Amino acid sequence: VLAYAPDPTVVRSVVAKGKAAVQGAEANRPQLTAGLSLAAPENLSEEHTRLNLQAAWEAGADAIALYNLGIAPESVLDWVKRALKAS
């Protein structure tokens, strides 16, 4: 699911709805990947990065895909590293 939002409450809601939708599937325990954007306006600070990653994991994401990684400034990559270590 694409969970592009600067608000972790929205990220949590989108991921939780996606997780609920796949949990009813019969096939080999489907996985849910949450897509988060590293670009503005969805990602404005290190705090946004950390809170959005945390919200996605807490809502049941099995994996997280980080979009715009290739064009993200080095400072944003540092945010991601710290946020992943904290989660």
Side-chain angles (χ1 to χ4, degrees):
V1 294
L2 290 180
Y4 286 14
D7 181 350
T9 304
V10 174
V11 170
R12 185 175 284 107
S13 175
V14 169
V15 174
K17 288 176 185 174
K19 188 67 174 187
V22 299
Q23 281 182 330
E26 303 271 335
N28 301 334
R29 191 183 177 277
Q31 300 282 306
L32 180 80
T33 300
L36 302 178
S37 175
L38 295 178
E42 295 84 16
N43 191 47
L44 300 173
S45 69
E46 185 168 353
E47 182 75 357
H48 276 122
T49 303
R50 185 183 63 74
L51 292 174
N52 283 346
L53 281 166
Q54 181 180 349
W57 289 129
E58 289 175 356
D62 297 299
I64 295 178
L66 299 171
Y67 290 86
N68 304 310
L69 192 62
I71 60 171
E74 194 168 326
S75 60
V76 172
L77 301 179
D78 290 337
W79 298 351
V80 171
K81 287 177 194 174
R82 288 191 289 270
L84 289 173
K85 284 180 183 177
S87 62

